[in-house]
Amino acid sequence: MTQPLSLGRLFPGAFATDASQVVSGVAFDSRKVQPGQVFVALAGAKADGARFIADAVAKGAVAVVSGQARPADLDGSVAFAQVGDPRLALSLAAAVVHPRQPGTIVAVTGTSGKSSVADFTRQIFQALGHEAASLGTIGVVTSKGADYGSLTTPDPLSLHASLDRLAGDGVTHLAMEASSHGLDQRRLDGVRLKAGAFLNLGRDHLDYHLTVADYLAAKMRLWALLPKGAPVVINRDEPYAEEAAQAATAAGHPLIGIGRKGETIRLIESVREGFSQRLTLAVEGRELVVSLPLVGDFMAGNALVAAALAMATGDEPVAALRAISGLTGVVGRLERVGEARGGLVVVDYAHKPDALSAVLSTLRGYAKGRLICVFGCGGDRDTGKRPLMGAIAAQKADIAIVTDDNPRSEDPAAIRAQVMAASPKLREIGDRAEAIRAAVRMLGTGDVLVVAGKGHETGQIIGDRTYPFSDQDVVRTAIAEIAG
Ligand SMILES: Nc1ncnc2c1ncn2[C@@H]1O[C@H](COP(=O)(O)OP(=O)(O)OP(=O)(O)O)[C@@H](O)[C@H]1O
Ligand SMILES: [Mg+2]
């Protein structure tokens, strides 16, 4: 582990003459360069990294990796390598800088449910006696507690630093979220994966990926990252399952299909039991009944994918499936926050059309009275989803209130107007706390209120500032107000 970091070890074959030169580390942000490091210039979405080469050298970089030719004015003492894909080179180098990784790592991709599945997989691994962790939107979670605040797929250096630390802490099993963004940007290329899963594909991040075909292609990159023969889990009941399965087969991976149409773990029947469900499953020629303490068809699918990932990495199938009965919900995912006047309040992270639709359909089954929904759309993100979410809420909820959800640099009223345009049935209360309070005051016996969009988040982003905000806290306060 204490082998010196030579340019040849970090970037095999890239440096023709300076391969034996030892550096102190790797940086890709010119502002964070430390003396003696190698600087990797990435062509970013906003600024071309090559322009930061001079800055990096001024801060002490002794070598540079770039996608372009050596700048004419670069000091002759600075080693330089031109590579075809600087992001890929960075990811592989990060895995050399931080060499330790948990021995069993699985990755899950899809539009919705990645965090839930990563978390469920961690819980199942743990129940089966493994030292386990999960990594994604809700941070790094281990059996010792959560550490909030990371991106869905962090930059390669932070990611590999986390993997190294987890392995050092004795974690042997890790389930991680693989966002299409992260896959596309080669951020997972240095991770030694054992199995992967595909959940679903819906309208998401289309501002970044532009077309569904592009987006699907980015998610399918996961199959290329898996070693040949590594199993791929597919939820057979979801759109694009067939495309994902074909791509995985073409890449040499055996399939584990789950769901009502699943060939490996087949869901024969699900029966609602209060806020739980009883699943009858067929696996390896036998029938098995497990109870899942969570609601929603999609949560059943997520749980089966998680059990299948444990199976894919060597755990006994029936034991993995039985562990489903011990699952706890993930914060802000169909989370029951409280009750008022006989009505139930749920907080959910749905901030995409397909997620909102799935959540409202699920909760409809629990609403003996009215289904009330408070939701919004974020600023500086795919604007096309605004009228779609407006239409879904208007159609699927009895009362739908449009409010603000991280307007960022946009005018909140303009965002709301784009949502409101979908249906005259939508109501509008811009202030999120006020909207939640108003909805809680409407509750009556048998009603269900879902506050959608923030889930686990603890802030409202207005302009470039984040103001403390928790849907759960506001709901609890509002319930206390009408009770008191
Ligand atoms: N399998 C699923 N199908 C459809 N909707 C789902 C599914 N699983 C979860 N959801 C909905 O999507 C929301 C987000 O779930 P989750 O955080 O697990 O997804 P994610 O893929 O990690 O999202 P992100 O890309 O934002 O990290 C949930 O709150 C729920 O509303
Ligand atoms: Mg997530």
Side-chain angles (χ1 to χ4, degrees):
M1 214 202 101
T2 46
Q3 267 190 63
L5 293 175
S6 67
L7 291 175
R9 273 188 69 219
L10 290 167
F11 304 95
F15 286 87
T17 52
D18 305 293
S20 59
Q21 183 179 335
V22 171
V23 294
S24 61
V26 179
F28 64 93
D29 180 341
S30 59
R31 293 163 303 181
K32 293 190 187 150
V33 171
Q34 304 281 320
Q37 287 188 328
V38 48
F39 174 65
V40 183
L42 302 177
K46 290 212 180 95
D48 185 349
R51 287 197 277 133
F52 298 113
I53 290 178
D55 292 355
V57 171
K59 294 205 106 185
V62 295
V64 171
V65 173
S66 167
Q68 284 157 34
R70 182 180 185 109
D73 56 356
L74 184 63
D75 190 296
S77 66
V78 178
F80 186 90
Q82 182 175 1
V83 298
D85 189 342
R87 287 186 186 278
L88 175 61
L90 173 66
S91 288
L92 300 178
V96 176
V97 176
H98 303 289
R100 292 177 302 180
Q101 299 186 12
T104 300
I105 305 181
V106 300
V108 49
T109 193
T111 303
S112 298
K114 298 181 293 296
S115 288
S116 309
V117 170
D119 198 276
F120 292 168
T121 309
R122 173 185 57 75
Q123 294 187 46
I124 292 174
F125 279 150
Q126 215 160 297
L128 296 175
H130 306 296
E131 200 61 54
S134 55
L135 189 156
T137 323
I138 53 177
V140 176
V141 181
T142 66
S143 50
K144 293 171 193 84
D147 160 19
Y148 284 79
S150 71
L151 281 169
T152 295
T153 315
D155 75 75
L157 286 170
S158 328
L159 170 63
H160 285 279
S162 297
L163 297 181
D164 190 86
R165 198 193 74 210
L166 287 167
D169 289 346
V171 169
T172 57
H173 285 63
L174 174 72
M176 62 186 289
E177 261 180 69
S179 71
S180 49
H181 218 101
L183 287 167
D184 199 35
Q185 298 192 345
R186 310 286 186 263
R187 281 185 250 163
L188 265 79
D189 284 66
V191 180
R192 296 188 284 274
L193 298 168
K194 285 270 166 37
F198 171 82
L199 297 174
N200 48 43
L201 182 77
R203 183 191 182 91
D204 173 33
H205 306 315
L206 286 188
D207 45 343
Y208 173 82
H209 286 289
L210 301 174
T211 69
V212 169
D214 261 12
Y215 185 50
L216 188 63
K219 297 219 178 284
M220 297 303 102
R221 271 212 75 233
L222 181 56
W223 308 156
L225 297 185
L226 293 172
K228 275 232 159 27
V232 161
V233 177
I234 306 252
N235 183 342
R236 288 287 191 187
D237 301 339
E238 290 285 346
Y240 299 101
E242 193 43 45
E243 286 86 343
Q246 277 172 16
T249 307
H253 304 295
L255 301 178
I256 299 182
I258 67 101
R260 291 180 198 279
K261 294 188 214 136
E263 67 275 27
T264 314
I265 301 175
R266 191 160 62 84
L267 176 60
I268 298 171
E269 185 190 45
S270 67
V271 180
R272 233 172 66 198
E273 288 179 326
F275 238 62
S276 299
Q277 46 189 320
R278 199 178 64 232
L279 309 179
T280 306
L281 306 164
V283 64
E284 296 187 327
R286 63 184 274 199
E287 211 169 286
L288 186 71
V289 178
V290 295
S291 119
L292 171 69
L294 301 167
V295 300
D297 268 358
F298 67 83
M299 280 300 174
N302 291 346
L304 293 182
V305 169
L309 279 169
M311 207 177 128
T313 52
D315 283 312
E316 207 273 306
V318 172
L321 288 167
R322 287 204 196 286
I324 283 177
S325 61
L327 289 179
T328 348
V330 181
V331 59
R333 274 69 179 171
L334 282 181
E335 178 183 350
R336 296 176 65 169
V337 179
E339 284 173 37
R341 296 190 188 130
L344 174 70
V345 190
V346 171
V347 164
D348 187 82
Y349 191 43
H351 55 278
K352 308 166 189 171
D354 55 321
L356 188 63
S357 175
V359 162
L360 290 172
S361 298
T362 292
L363 292 177
R364 170 60 69 189
Y366 293 84
K368 292 193 189 73
R370 298 163 304 169
L371 180 57
I372 307 169
C373 176
V374 172
F375 76 107
C377 290
D380 304 337
R381 296 288 186 273
D382 180 16
T383 55
K385 75 179 181 188
R386 293 174 190 170
L388 297 179
M389 288 180 67
I392 288 166
Q395 190 211 330
K396 296 200 162 186
D398 300 301
I399 300 172
I401 303 172
V402 179
T403 190
D404 292 339
D405 186 351
N406 297 336
R408 301 191 177 85
S409 76
E410 285 191 60
D411 171 17
I415 299 175
R416 274 181 267 124
Q418 290 174 39
V419 183
M420 296 291 298
S423 165
K425 189 181 142 185
L426 296 166
R427 306 185 189 185
E428 178 177 3
I429 304 178
D431 181 82
R432 192 170 180 94
E434 195 40 57
I436 294 173
R437 258 183 249 123
V440 167
R441 282 196 299 264
M442 290 174 191
L443 282 173
T445 305
D447 292 344
V448 173
L449 162 62
V450 56
V451 180
K454 287 207 173 294
H456 63 286
E457 290 177 4
T458 52
Q460 177 84 304
I461 310 169
I462 303 173
D464 48 19
R465 290 193 55 186
T466 303
Y467 299 85
F469 197 97
S470 148
D471 281 349
Q472 288 90 337
D473 287 352
V474 176
V475 165
R476 285 188 199 104
T477 310
I479 290 177
E481 276 166 16
I482 59 169

